Amino acid sequence: MPTRATLPSWRYVNRVFLFLRVPQLLSTCVAFSLVADMGLRGDIGNWFMSFWCICFIVTLFIVIIEVNGLQPRFPFYWYNFPVTFACYAALICLSASIIYSITYVQFLPDVPEWDRAVAATAFSCIASVLYAIEMAGMWNFYKLKEIPCYLHTVPSLLNVLETFVAGVIFAFLSNTSLYLHQPALVWCVAVYSVCFISEAVTILLNLGKWEHRLPIPFPICQLVLTVFSVLLYISALVLWLLYQFYEELGGLPQRSSDVSCVDGLMCTWDQRLAVAVLTAVNLLVYVADRGYWAHRVSIETED
């Protein structure tokens, strides 16, 4: 078992710092700076600008910690943190590049703002590639050195995917007019929040190797949480579909029914549909997660 300060060799860290971390900082900094310099960004633009800013800040934080050798001062196993963050950052920057270009950039007129938006999308793509290279490189390095890595397990990858999809859902829910008018839709937002928090706590327990401090076995705890999350997401999916798209409950079954949908721009109806699709996707991920833990608990029970 490695110590909390376990990291790849200093030579390898230098390579990552020089060839990946510095371009990551530049790419994310340029991306959010270009979008921040624009006037009208919309709710989605503000969310992804925040995502790029967070990626920049956390990357800078990692660089400062590793350059100054401060890893042993953290109460968790530091070697798991950079590779886990790189996984999140790669997904965030990739999704930001796709969603921002589809929902905003393509509808801008040929003005200076369009050039800035295209450049921000390009730098976001570059950042996603750099983070993906870092994640793959460190993942393989840990595997080669037989260092147990959080991302080497199936449930950890499912946890990352669950929290990432929930984060994208929250980006679309930044338009509060989607749900504040209906208590059933507020319940859906509460479901997304509760499940996101529970998964975030699970990730922190695994990163710190604290899962064995729970009063019950960790697999049983995870099985209960995933079953609970599946039931919550089923209720959220059903309620969201009914109250957003069923006309008798005040929903809009067709895009043409939404007066805000003009000129091909992404409108409220599109955001409702995006949340519904992402809810269904996350439900499937939770079902797969529940299947994994049910299988593991059954094996341990037999043993």
Side-chain angles (χ1 to χ4, degrees):
M1 176 66 66
T3 64
R4 287 188 171 88
T6 300
L7 278 172
S9 65
W10 181 246
R11 183 179 300 176
Y12 179 77
V13 173
N14 273 336
R15 289 176 183 174
V16 172
F17 172 72
L18 291 175
F19 297 108
L20 291 176
R21 297 259 168 83
V22 170
Q24 288 167 2
L25 289 171
L26 292 175
S27 300
T28 52
C29 180
V30 172
F32 78 74
S33 297
L34 288 171
V35 176
D37 190 47
M38 298 169 59
L40 182 63
R41 297 183 294 267
D43 294 330
I44 300 297
N46 289 331
W47 263 91
F48 287 120
M49 182 184 70
S50 301
F51 286 159
W52 291 322
C53 185
I54 291 172
C55 289
F56 172 82
I57 292 173
V58 177
T59 302
L60 181 61
F61 171 76
I62 291 173
V63 170
I64 293 174
I65 294 301
E66 293 188 345
V67 168
N68 291 280
L70 302 177
Q71 302 92 332
R73 299 190 179 184
F74 286 84
F76 55 83
Y77 292 86
W78 173 264
Y79 73 95
N80 267 324
F81 180 74
V83 64
T84 304
F85 168 72
C87 181
Y88 274 112
L91 292 172
I92 289 172
C93 292
L94 178 61
S95 64
S97 304
I98 296 173
I99 298 175
Y100 186 64
S101 60
I102 292 176
T103 62
Y104 186 75
V105 178
Q106 66 171 329
F107 301 112
L108 286 175
D110 191 10
V111 293
E113 284 76 13
W114 185 86
D115 296 331
R116 293 193 187 98
V118 171
T121 304
F123 278 104
S124 180
C125 290
I126 294 172
S128 66
V129 173
L130 293 171
Y131 282 117
I133 293 174
E134 178 187 356
M135 181 197 69
M138 297 186 76
W139 192 90
N140 288 322
F141 181 88
Y142 291 158
K143 190 172 183 180
L144 179 65
K145 297 294 184 179
E146 297 183 349
I147 299 175
C149 178
Y150 173 63
L151 291 180
H152 283 169
T153 62
V154 172
S156 65
L157 295 175
L158 293 175
N159 290 155
V160 169
L161 188 57
E162 288 159 359
T163 50
F164 166 71
V165 174
V168 179
I169 290 176
F170 289 138
F172 285 107
L173 291 176
S174 58
N175 180 5
T176 56
S177 63
L178 290 177
Y179 58 89
L180 284 182
H181 64 283
Q182 179 56 251
L185 299 177
V186 175
W187 163 261
C188 297
V189 178
V191 167
Y192 304 139
S193 302
V194 169
C195 293
F196 176 83
I197 292 172
S198 67
E199 291 304 319
V201 171
T202 299
I203 291 174
L204 290 176
L205 288 174
N206 279 281
L207 289 177
K209 302 295 183 183
W210 299 319
E211 64 269 25
H212 300 297
R213 299 183 182 181
L214 297 174
I216 61 176
F218 186 69
I220 295 178
C221 178
Q222 281 297 96
L223 178 60
V224 173
L225 282 177
T226 52
V227 170
F228 184 61
S229 298
V230 167
L231 295 176
L232 288 178
Y233 257 84
I234 290 175
S235 70
L237 180 60
V238 172
L239 291 175
W240 189 268
L241 291 175
L242 286 176
Y243 284 92
Q244 295 288 16
F245 302 105
Y246 191 53
E247 193 170 5
E248 294 185 6
L249 293 175
L252 300 175
Q254 296 180 350
R255 191 177 190 273
S256 57
S257 305
D258 193 340
V259 295
S260 66
C261 297
V262 293
D263 300 329
L265 292 171
M266 187 175 191
C267 58
T268 303
W269 193 90
D270 298 324
Q271 295 175 5
R272 292 170 178 167
L273 180 62
V275 172
V277 172
L278 291 170
T279 301
V281 170
N282 227 11
L283 174 59
L284 293 176
V285 178
Y286 275 108
V287 169
D289 200 4
R290 191 212 66 84
Y292 172 88
W293 287 111
H295 177 68
R296 179 168 171 179
V297 168
S298 66
I299 292 177
E300 292 185 0
T301 303
E302 291 176 359
D303 293 340

